[in-house]
Amino acid sequence: MTEAIQIVTTVADQQEAERIADFLVSQRLAACVQIGGPVTSLFRWEGKLDMAREWQLTIKTHASRYAEVEAAIRRIHTYDEPEILALPILAGSEGYLRWLAESVDAAV
């Protein structure tokens, strides 16, 4: 197991996705953010079934940066309660994982 993680969040539009991605990478909170979309999400919110067109961000970072990444997403995000899920990266190429850690100033 590595200390690398991927954080997933969804946002309402491409501009919001780009704002969050730019902030996280420029502040060295993430080594890379991939933006995918649009995606269609079907969910229950406030007791009703809802559907939305969204953009998904996959954020590559180090576990030691999770709290800062979550705080940054919450500051920028427009949703009342955004999806913010951290997923462990169980294994990866040594060079990539080293680059990831160095890119976010994490202990290697």
Side-chain angles (χ1 to χ4, degrees), residues 17-87:
E18 290 170 358
R19 261 193 321 276
I20 291 171
D22 181 66
F23 182 83
L24 294 175
V25 175
S26 68
Q27 296 300 304
R28 298 185 69 131
L29 297 176
C32 173
V33 179
Q34 293 172 317
I35 300 170
V39 297
T40 301
S41 296
L42 180 65
F43 54 93
R44 186 172 299 283
W45 182 250
E46 297 180 343
K48 295 182 287 188
L49 224 52
D50 204 349
M51 184 181 291
R53 182 176 178 199
E54 298 180 299
W55 294 80
Q56 186 174 57
L57 285 78
T58 304
I59 302 156
K60 279 87 165 178
T61 191
H62 194 269
S64 65
R65 294 296 201 161
Y66 175 79
E68 293 170 279
V69 171
E70 180 181 348
I73 291 170
R74 288 187 180 281
R75 271 194 314 274
I76 301 168
H77 212 292
T78 59
Y79 290 175
D80 292 338
E81 187 55 53
E83 168 192 29
I84 305 172
L85 302 174
L87 309 167

